[in-house]
Amino acid sequence: MVPLFSGSKGNSYYIGSSGEGVLIDAGRSCKQLEEKIALNGININSIGAIFITHEHVDHCQGVRVFAKRHGIKVYASAGTLSAMEEKGYLSPEIVTDVITDEISVGNMKVVRCDTPHDARESCCYQVFTSDGRRATVATDLGVMTDGVRELLKTSDFSVVESNHDVLMLKNGYYPPMTKARILSDRGHLSNDACAAELAEFIRCGNFRLMLGHISENNNIPELALNTSISALKNVGMKQGLDFTLAAVPPESDGTSVIF
């Protein structure tokens, strides 16, 4: 997995090998996506499909130009594709298809799971790579659901949302309506909500974790990490011994290959 972008300014992850892979979201411009893909030594021709989690701009900003330019098929839920069409994120030249449950892309398999978020029909994805490993990206969810938990428990590596610190958000400059949306069951996971989930994933064998979609205005990467590490320490788990945990940077610097 290579996290290309993460956060409110854009999100995109490459999951796969040097020979084949998929993109989860395309939330920056085509040029920016191409630059980060090249920086990480990924051959664009190895991208077999793009999977969009939902229609918000930070997840599909670049998909129209990128998918058209490189002839890459786009998958999403029916609701997300409909919303993307309405917002102008698709064009007739782009081949799209609905993923209802799971689908194969080359030697890989991608599984969809619905997420609670303020979007038309948002979801997250687990990717089975050609060598049998599983990676899950689960961000943009107001609460953790049993379905998402199951994907994370059965993964070898995962990105889990740790979007905001509740006190920073409540004391910040966002309008009351925006604060309420973020804090709602269709908003984003807080540091505390994320931290409370991680021990179970580790007990089930998901030892490699990253915290994603960290807010630039209502969080600090070190605070998100310390919240999760402290919660895991309280149940007897130690960083570097029982698990590895890091924060996904807003942009890849070319060294963020996970496996």
Side-chain angles (χ1 to χ4, degrees):
M1 174 185 285
V2 181
L4 303 173
F5 297 98
S6 178
S8 56
K9 291 183 178 179
N11 298 271
S12 185
Y13 297 81
Y14 176 84
I15 301 177
S17 64
S18 59
E20 65 173 349
V22 297
L23 278 189
I24 305 297
D25 288 330
R28 293 291 281 267
S29 71
C30 178
K31 180 181 178 180
Q32 290 171 318
L33 289 167
E34 290 172 341
E35 288 175 348
K36 293 301 181 185
I37 287 167
L39 180 64
N40 285 278
I42 300 166
N43 185 340
I44 287 182
N45 294 327
S46 70
I47 300 173
I50 303 169
F51 290 82
I52 302 296
T53 59
H54 61 292
E55 70 273 13
H56 291 171
V57 64
D58 57 321
H59 293 263
C60 58
Q61 175 186 349
V63 69
R64 176 173 177 155
V65 177
F66 186 84
K68 179 181 177 181
R69 179 177 295 178
H70 299 287
I72 302 173
K73 191 171 184 177
V74 176
Y75 290 91
S77 69
T80 294
L81 287 175
S82 175
M84 289 173 67
E85 184 74 38
E86 293 171 11
K87 291 174 177 287
Y89 292 130
L90 297 173
S91 67
E93 298 88 351
I94 297 173
V95 178
T96 64
D97 202 355
V98 173
I99 176 171
T100 56
D101 183 18
E102 62 182 56
I103 196 163
S104 294
V105 178
N107 296 310
M108 306 173 69
K109 183 174 76 170
V110 180
V111 176
R112 167 194 158 189
C113 181
D114 291 341
T115 53
H117 193 51
D118 58 338
R120 185 76 58 87
E121 191 182 1
S122 65
C123 64
C124 69
Y125 298 104
Q126 182 181 68
V127 180
F128 291 64
T129 60
S130 57
D131 60 0
R133 289 182 285 184
R134 306 182 192 187
T136 298
V137 177
T139 65
D140 296 76
L141 59 163
V143 293
M144 185 64 68
T145 67
D146 289 342
V148 176
R149 281 192 188 98
E150 191 60 30
L151 292 191
L152 292 167
K153 287 193 292 186
T154 59
S155 293
D156 299 293
F157 174 81
S158 59
V159 175
V160 187
E161 179 171 60
S162 189
N163 176 257
H164 61 276
D165 174 78
V166 173
L167 288 179
M168 285 184 68
L169 175 62
K170 288 183 175 180
N171 294 323
Y173 65 86
Y174 281 11
M177 185 177 297
T178 303
K179 293 179 181 180
R181 179 186 68 81
I182 294 171
L183 291 167
S184 75
D185 287 352
R186 292 177 60 81
H188 293 276
L189 281 187
S190 69
N191 290 344
D192 290 333
C194 172
E197 299 285 343
L198 300 183
E200 185 61 21
F201 307 150
I202 295 167
R203 291 189 187 103
C204 292
N206 187 354
F207 306 122
R208 292 180 290 180
L209 304 154
M210 292 193 81
L211 306 179
H213 213 294
I214 296 173
S215 172
E216 295 182 14
N217 298 313
N218 303 301
N219 209 351
I220 302 168
E222 293 77 12
L223 178 57
L225 280 170
N226 288 339
T227 301
S228 286
I229 290 172
S230 178
L232 292 168
K233 184 178 179 180
N234 288 340
V235 296
M237 296 182 177
K238 295 182 179 180
Q239 166 82 305
L241 181 63
D242 300 301
F243 64 90
T244 60
L245 180 67
V248 182
E251 297 189 17
S252 169
D253 62 1
T255 63
S256 52
V257 178
I258 306 306
F259 68 78

